[in-house]
Amino acid sequence: MLGPWGRTLLGGAFALALLAAGKWTRRKETISAIQTLPIAKLPAILPRAGTAVAFATSRSLSAL
């Protein structure tokens, strides 16, 4: 349904959203409502996932 450029743009937008969510959670110092997921790990996980998605998106862009 989406072409290669559409998938690349969506991947980039998703990477930026993950990075922004990581920055937001790092600035917001509240206790997580989920007991099994401490809030201390969440700000570290989101930017790493965003970086991984950005890397995968850039690799797929170079394959176009």
Side-chain angles (χ1 to χ4, degrees):
M1 296 192 67
L2 293 174
W5 287 103
R7 289 192 304 266
T8 303
L9 288 175
L10 285 176
F14 184 58
L16 287 176
L18 284 172
L19 292 171
K23 181 65 107 172
W24 181 75
T25 56
R26 187 171 299 275
R27 290 178 186 252
K28 187 175 170 87
E29 297 283 336
T30 60
I31 298 172
S32 177
I34 304 170
Q35 293 296 329
T36 59
L37 184 65
I39 194 68
K41 293 181 183 178
L42 195 60
I45 292 170
L46 291 172
R48 290 176 184 171
T51 305
V53 170
F55 178 74
T57 301
S58 69
R59 297 301 294 171
S60 69
L61 184 60
S62 66
L64 293 177

